């Protein structure tokens, strides 16, 4: 498939002015409504101005040219006469600034009462247009710029944190006599810098502050990719309010979450591997340098389970008949793109028997009660780190839960539930301390786009503006995520290094690397440089960072690994039984390479293909193996196995995008009919990018 990239259309802007101000903590208070397919509520941002983190930012290369110092036009939001104590009090009759911009001739998919007061941004995206300096411009007001799109912002206000009882402990004066902007910001500065051993107290005050009354609405404006907030008279980040509440709601067509049905036909919604990450779920700072913590309260109908990437194993709290609330939190600062949520009629799959030894091994350890022995020196920003928790470092199996649709609980009970403890134990033996305190495993629907997120990284961005704004090259191209094989190449690179260095040397390095870099942003160079510095000279075998980059990261395809390819170079004349005995020992990754090698052959007879299928049970292998097998079927028109192709297109929809292209390029009428038939069956379940790419192939 020939990809035509349009930089003006395909570059993904990162608008947040992270060089001037950083979000340190988010507090979300949300309601999930499946009938309207909307998530709405509030998000409170606790901010820290740039004076405290310039040193941290200096180590990150960022993207996008500073082009314009034009002042942004703002409109005061319409007066709101609805109480602001709960997100559910806002109705669809309230006026708001709308993010789903429709240019002339396009269908307006906003709410009936939505106001399109910023349609001038709908004509297209210019990567340079979106990078503007938002610092102090003399007499102009400071702008807080957040990444977001496909959101309806209802209101933005400053939070009066000084009104919360007990907050005087965070001020230099014993009593709060005169409440000022400076005093409120001082409270937030002290709150966000509390030491790690006071994390419970910190979370409690975050929650209480998030419920504090507002002390003045803030001016805000929107464009296609950002929310811009200012306060009249606040000319620097230091003067800008450090606690801001945003009232908003998502849109059904928002690209950060997918509203769909699970394998049992019940409704569900979850965050997906979207190129825009979470900016259509909540206003945030997208660049990875914006490491933050969060806590969230999510309400949904009592029949639903809410799962999130939090550190606690949340349980539902019944609020009233038919409605439950779930609460999660995170104390390890991470990029906003790592925030995940899934809501559905999942069933928790539990083991039938659990020994007392397992219970002892899986006991959760709380940082507040643990003995911090400073097992090792950490290089990351301060947080309650498990690597400094003497008990956590020896915990082989962390607490874990498995959730699945009703129809798959039996299969999970038989296989997955039994496998997870072994995997956790193996990970601990190889890599050391588990960085997270628990694990939730969810069986997602077949339309989950499993090829990963186009997260910002050094390799994907160019030059930055002074504000920290940047772009991800080709981040919006719907075909891009299906053309990347970086995850697969990365896996084979690691296997190649293990083979070259030997397991003992390689695994020893991995454990040391994880301990040295946990909790930090890292680049490929960091990994490779440390690897070469920590292996004996005699084992380097002419390896260098430059050679590895050239062979694995800068070239297309996957370099051949001698040991595995040798499996394919066996004599033609050999007894059938002996050949099968050798083949049956191949692991899934070796099967992938074998099938990749066979794909290079011009012809394979039906008898050979049938022998491959029978020998390896290819229809029962994992998705990577079945994908290559389907490619062989299509290439050699092996009609007896077309059912395997149909199954793959329906059950592995994201990976199946490749196959649609192969089926259409073949110009075989039967294969093209198969492709169109499968697409019609699954298009309503597929994610938006997949539908767009496949439709372009078929029609």
């Amino acid at each position: 498939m020939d990809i035509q990239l349009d930089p003006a259309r395909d570059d993904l802007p990162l608008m947040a002015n992270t060089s001037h101000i950083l979000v340190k903590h988010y507090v979300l208070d949300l309601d999930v409504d499946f009938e309207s397919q909307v998530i709405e509520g509030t998000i409170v941002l606790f901010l820290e101005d740039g004076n405290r983190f310039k040193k941290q930012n200096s180590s990150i290369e960022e993207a996008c040219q500073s082009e314009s110092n034009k002042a942004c036009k703002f409109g005061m939001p319409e007066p709101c006469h609805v109480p602001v104590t709960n997100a559910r009090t806002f109705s669809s009759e309230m006026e708001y600034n709308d993010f789903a911009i429709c240019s002339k001739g396009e269908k307006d998919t906003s709410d009936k009462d939505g106001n399109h007061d910023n349609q001038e941004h709908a004509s297209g995206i210019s990567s340079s247009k979106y990078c503007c300096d938002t610092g102090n411009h003399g007499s102009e007001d400071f702008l807080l710029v957040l990444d977001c799109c496909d959101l309806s912002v209802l209101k933005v206000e400053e939070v009066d944190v000084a009104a919360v009882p007990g907050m005087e402990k965070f001020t230099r004066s014993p009593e709060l006599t005169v409440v000022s902007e400076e005093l409120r910001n001082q409270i937030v500065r002290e709150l966000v810098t509390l030491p790690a051993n006071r994390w419970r107290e910190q979370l409690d005050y975050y929650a209480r502050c998030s419920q504090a009354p507002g002390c003045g609405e803030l001016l805000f404006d929107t464009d296609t990719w950002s929310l811009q907030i200012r306060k009249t008279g606040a000319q620097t980040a230091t003067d800008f309010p450090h606690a801001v509440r945003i009232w908003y709601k998502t849109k059904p067509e928002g690209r950060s979450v997918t509203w769909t049905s699970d394998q049992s036909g019940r409704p569900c919604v979850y965050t997906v591997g979207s190129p825009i990450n979470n900016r259509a779920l909540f206003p945030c700072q997208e660049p990875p340098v914006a490491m933050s913590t969060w806590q969230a309260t999510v309400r949904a109908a009592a029949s639903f389970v809410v799962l999130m990437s939090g550190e606690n194993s949340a349980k539902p709290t019944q609020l009233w008949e038919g409605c439950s609330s779930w609460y999660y939190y995170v104390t390890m600062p991470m990029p906003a793109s790592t925030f995940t949520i899934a809501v559905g009629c999942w069933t928790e799959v539990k083991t039938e028997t659990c020994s007392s030894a397992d219970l002892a091994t899986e006991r959760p350890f709380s940082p507040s009660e643990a003995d911090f022995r400073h097992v090792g020196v950490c290089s990351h920003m301060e947080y309650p780190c498990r690597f400094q928790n003497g008990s956590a470092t020896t915990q082989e199996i962390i607490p874990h839960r498995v959730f699945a649709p009703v129809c798959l609980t039996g299969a999970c009970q038989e296989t997955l539930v039994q496998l997870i403890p072994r995997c956790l134990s193996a990970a601990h033996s190889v890599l050391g301390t588990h960085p997270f305190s628990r694990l939730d495993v969810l069986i997602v629907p077949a339309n989950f786009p499993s090829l990963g997120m186009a997260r910002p990284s050094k390799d994907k961005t160019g030059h930055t503006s002074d504000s920290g704004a940047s772009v991800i090259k080709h981040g919006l191209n719907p075909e891009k995520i299906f053309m990347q094989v970086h995850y697969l190449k990365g896996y084979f690179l690691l296997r190649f290094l293990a083979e070259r260095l030997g397991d003992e040397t390689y695994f020893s390095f991995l454990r040391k690397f994880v301990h040295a870099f946990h909790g930090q942003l890292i680049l490929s160079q960091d990994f490779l440089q440390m690897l070469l510095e920590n292996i004996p000279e005699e084992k380097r075998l002419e390896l260098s960072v430059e050679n590895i980059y050239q062979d694995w990261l800068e070239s297309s395809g996957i370099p051949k690994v001698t040991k595995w390819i040798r499996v394919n170079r066996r004599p033609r004349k050999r007894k059938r039984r002996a050949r099968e005995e050798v083949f049956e020992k191949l692991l899934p990754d070796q099967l992938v390479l074998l099938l990749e090698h066979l794909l290079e052959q011009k012809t394979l007879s039906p008898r050979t293909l049938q022998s491959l299928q029978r020998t390896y049970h290819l229809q029962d292998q994992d998705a990577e193996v079945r994908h290559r097998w389907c490619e062989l079927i299509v290439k050699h028109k092996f009609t007896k196995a077309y059912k395997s192709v149909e199954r793959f297109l329906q059950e592995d929809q994201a990976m199946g995008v490749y196959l649609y292209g192969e089926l259409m390029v073949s110009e075989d009428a039967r294969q093209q009919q198969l492709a169109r038939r499968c697409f019609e069956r699954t298009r309503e379940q597929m994610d938006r990018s997949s539908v767009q790419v496949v439709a372009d192939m078929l029609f």
Side-chain angles (χ1 to χ4, degrees):
M1 190 169 20
D2 185 21
I3 307 176
Q4 299 298 325
L5 298 177
D6 178 4
R9 179 175 66 91
D10 301 320
D11 287 352
L12 175 62
L14 300 179
M15 302 299 297
N17 53 339
T18 54
S19 294
H20 298 148
I21 194 165
L22 278 181
V23 178
K24 301 299 293 183
H25 189 78
Y26 298 93
V27 179
L28 298 99
D29 187 56
L30 304 173
D31 291 276
V32 180
D33 186 350
F34 278 89
E35 184 175 350
S36 61
Q37 295 190 344
V38 164
I39 300 174
E40 64 179 313
T42 65
I43 183 169
V44 177
L45 283 56
F46 294 86
L47 304 164
E48 186 175 56
D49 58 78
N51 292 333
R52 289 177 175 259
F53 57 81
K54 284 184 178 179
K55 183 177 180 181
Q56 175 185 353
N57 272 4
S58 63
S59 63
I60 305 295
E61 289 191 32
E62 305 162 314
C64 173
Q65 293 283 354
S66 172
E67 180 192 32
S68 173
N69 288 334
K70 296 180 181 178
C72 299
K73 297 181 180 179
F74 285 81
M76 174 65 77
E78 294 294 325
C80 174
H81 305 290
V82 183
V84 295
T85 56
N86 192 290
R88 293 186 301 275
T89 60
F90 280 92
S91 70
S92 61
E93 298 178 356
M94 178 177 296
E95 297 184 351
Y96 53 83
N97 283 6
D98 202 297
F99 275 83
I101 314 302
C102 299
S103 60
K104 293 182 180 181
E106 292 181 338
K107 181 180 180 181
D108 187 344
T109 57
S110 67
D111 294 345
K112 295 180 180 179
D113 300 299
N115 294 331
H116 290 261
D117 58 350
N118 54 349
Q119 293 187 1
E120 66 272 16
H121 300 286
S123 59
I125 301 171
S126 170
S127 59
S128 60
K129 170 185 175 181
Y130 286 97
C131 299
C132 59
D133 189 5
T134 54
N136 183 10
H137 304 298
S139 61
E140 297 177 6
D141 295 326
F142 172 80
L143 299 181
L144 168 63
V145 182
L146 301 173
D147 294 298
C148 61
C149 65
D150 299 333
L151 292 178
S152 300
V153 176
L154 307 171
K155 179 182 178 180
V156 182
E157 64 180 358
E158 180 179 0
V159 179
D160 188 6
V161 295
V164 177
M167 297 306 293
E168 59 271 8
K169 69 171 64 176
F170 297 109
T171 65
R172 296 184 181 89
S173 56
E175 296 181 0
L176 298 178
T177 53
V178 179
V179 177
S180 63
E181 188 74 68
E182 182 180 358
L183 182 62
R184 284 189 287 264
N185 286 354
Q186 178 190 336
I187 291 173
V188 176
R189 289 191 192 101
E190 296 296 324
L191 179 57
V192 300
T193 55
L194 282 179
N197 60 1
R198 296 175 64 183
W199 67 273
R200 287 190 183 275
E201 178 186 5
Q202 187 181 47
L203 285 178
D204 178 62
Y205 275 110
Y206 278 140
R208 292 164 64 182
C209 287
S210 70
Q211 298 298 319
C215 55
E217 294 191 25
L218 301 177
L219 303 173
F220 70 93
D221 195 13
T222 64
D223 59 31
T224 308
W225 292 108
S226 70
L227 167 63
Q228 305 142 20
I229 305 170
R230 73 175 174 94
K231 180 177 181 178
T232 303
Q235 297 183 10
T236 67
T238 303
D239 301 329
F240 189 81
H242 283 26
V244 175
R245 181 186 292 118
I246 302 171
W247 303 79
Y248 76 99
K249 63 180 179 178
T250 66
K251 290 179 167 292
E253 66 272 18
R255 287 166 284 176
S256 292
V257 297
T258 290
W259 300 85
T260 185
S261 298
D262 64 19
Q263 293 88 330
S264 295
R266 299 182 178 183
C268 63
V269 61
Y270 52 83
T271 44
V272 294
S274 169
I276 66 168
N277 291 331
N278 286 321
R279 67 183 72 186
L281 178 58
F282 60 92
C284 58
Q285 292 182 327
E286 275 288 312
V289 68
M291 305 273 277
S292 59
T293 54
W294 58 264
Q295 61 197 100
T297 300
V298 180
R299 290 170 293 275
S303 58
F304 289 94
V305 172
V306 177
L307 302 176
M308 301 184 74
S309 51
E311 296 173 4
N312 59 311
S313 297
K315 299 292 183 181
T317 300
Q318 184 172 348
L319 300 179
W320 57 82
E321 186 177 359
C323 182
S324 295
S325 174
W326 301 71
Y327 171 74
Y328 289 90
Y329 64 83
V330 159
T331 61
M332 178 193 294
M334 290 185 289
S337 59
T338 63
F339 178 98
T340 60
I341 183 172
V343 185
C345 299
W346 327 118
T347 299
E348 183 175 0
V349 184
K350 300 182 179 180
T351 55
E352 296 180 353
T353 59
C354 187
S355 66
S356 58
D358 290 336
L359 289 174
T361 304
E362 296 185 16
R363 184 181 74 83
F365 296 96
S366 168
S368 63
E369 67 183 56
D371 175 18
F372 280 85
R373 305 176 185 177
H374 297 281
V375 177
V377 178
C378 296
S379 302
H380 54 69
M381 65 181 71
E382 187 181 15
Y383 67 86
C385 177
R386 288 172 54 83
F387 284 75
Q388 297 184 29
N389 181 334
S391 300
T393 58
T394 60
Q395 189 181 23
E396 294 184 13
I397 304 175
I398 57 175
H400 54 276
R401 305 183 296 184
V402 177
F403 294 86
V406 175
C407 66
L408 296 179
T409 54
C412 289
Q413 186 76 57
E414 294 176 5
T415 56
L416 185 59
V417 171
Q418 313 297 328
L419 184 62
I420 291 177
R422 303 176 191 173
C423 293
L424 290 172
S425 180
H428 182 272
S429 67
V430 173
L431 302 177
T433 305
H434 292 289
F436 302 105
S437 58
R438 69 172 196 98
L439 173 69
D440 275 347
V441 177
L442 171 64
I443 308 301
V444 295
N447 61 352
F448 185 82
S450 56
L451 294 184
M453 289 182 283
R455 292 181 182 175
S457 69
K458 177 180 177 181
D459 296 330
K460 292 183 182 178
T461 56
H463 186 66
T464 57
S465 70
D466 292 338
S467 70
S470 59
V471 294
I472 303 177
K473 291 296 184 181
H474 315 313
L476 290 174
N477 188 286
E479 298 179 0
K480 182 69 174 177
I481 58 175
F482 304 111
M483 297 300 104
Q484 293 171 342
V485 293
H486 47 281
Y487 290 114
L488 187 60
K489 289 179 68 174
Y491 168 74
F492 282 117
L493 171 58
L494 295 180
R495 291 300 301 263
F496 164 75
L497 293 172
E499 170 69 17
R500 179 68 69 92
L501 303 177
D503 287 350
E504 183 177 353
T505 299
Y506 179 65
F507 289 142
S508 175
F509 159 74
L510 279 185
R511 191 182 186 100
K512 185 176 181 180
F513 177 81
V514 170
H515 193 277
F517 284 97
H518 70 275
Q520 302 175 67
L521 297 174
I522 60 172
L523 301 174
S524 301
Q525 296 97 311
D526 300 325
F527 176 86
L528 296 174
Q529 192 63 46
M530 183 175 176
L531 171 67
L532 297 178
E533 291 174 354
N534 283 269
I535 60 176
E537 183 69 31
E538 63 271 14
K539 289 193 174 183
R540 292 190 184 181
L541 303 175
E542 300 181 353
L543 286 176
S544 68
V545 174
E546 294 75 17
N547 290 343
I548 295 174
Y549 255 71
Q550 182 177 356
D551 293 342
W552 289 89
L553 304 180
E554 295 176 353
S555 60
S556 60
I558 301 175
K560 290 181 172 60
V561 183
T562 305
K563 177 182 177 182
W564 296 337
I565 294 300
R566 193 184 304 126
V567 174
N568 304 325
R569 297 175 179 170
R570 48 179 53 89
R572 293 178 179 272
K573 295 182 179 181
R574 177 176 281 188
K575 292 183 179 180
R576 178 178 176 183
R577 178 175 300 177
R579 182 182 61 206
E580 290 182 350
E581 289 175 356
V582 174
F583 282 169
E584 288 174 356
K585 295 178 182 179
L586 296 183
L587 298 172
D589 54 317
Q590 293 172 311
L591 278 175
V592 169
L593 280 179
L594 172 59
L595 296 178
E596 289 274 10
H597 177 78
L598 294 177
L599 280 168
E600 298 175 2
Q601 306 302 310
K602 291 184 178 181
T603 59
L604 288 176
S605 68
R607 184 175 62 181
T608 300
L609 292 169
Q610 190 169 355
S611 178
L612 281 169
Q613 182 179 23
R614 181 177 60 251
T615 302
Y616 296 128
H617 306 285
L618 294 175
Q619 68 278 4
D620 300 323
Q621 296 287 343
D622 63 27
E624 291 286 354
V625 175
R626 287 188 288 113
H627 180 222
R628 271 68 179 184
W629 169 232
C630 288
E631 286 186 286
L632 278 176
I633 295 171
V634 173
K635 179 176 180 177
H636 300 289
K637 298 180 175 59
F638 186 38
T639 57
K640 291 184 178 180
Y642 277 3
K643 288 292 183 181
S644 295
V645 177
E646 290 192 40
R647 175 195 168 198
F648 191 88
L649 292 177
Q650 295 179 59
E651 296 182 2
D652 301 273
Q653 294 171 14
M655 297 182 68
V657 170
Y658 292 101
L659 284 182
Y660 280 108
E662 298 296 330
L663 289 167
M664 298 307 295
V665 169
S666 70
E667 297 184 354
D668 179 86
R670 185 171 177 181
Q671 290 191 359
Q672 292 182 348
Q673 184 181 12
L674 185 154
R676 294 190 176 97
R677 183 170 64 249
C678 290
F679 183 58
E680 290 302 319
R681 291 175 182 171
T682 59
R683 67 178 303 166
E684 296 300 322
Q685 305 168 9
M686 297 170 68
D687 71 280
R688 186 176 307 175
S689 294
S690 299
V691 170
Q692 181 178 341
V693 172
V694 175
D696 289 342
M697 296 177 188
L698 302 186
F699 307 106

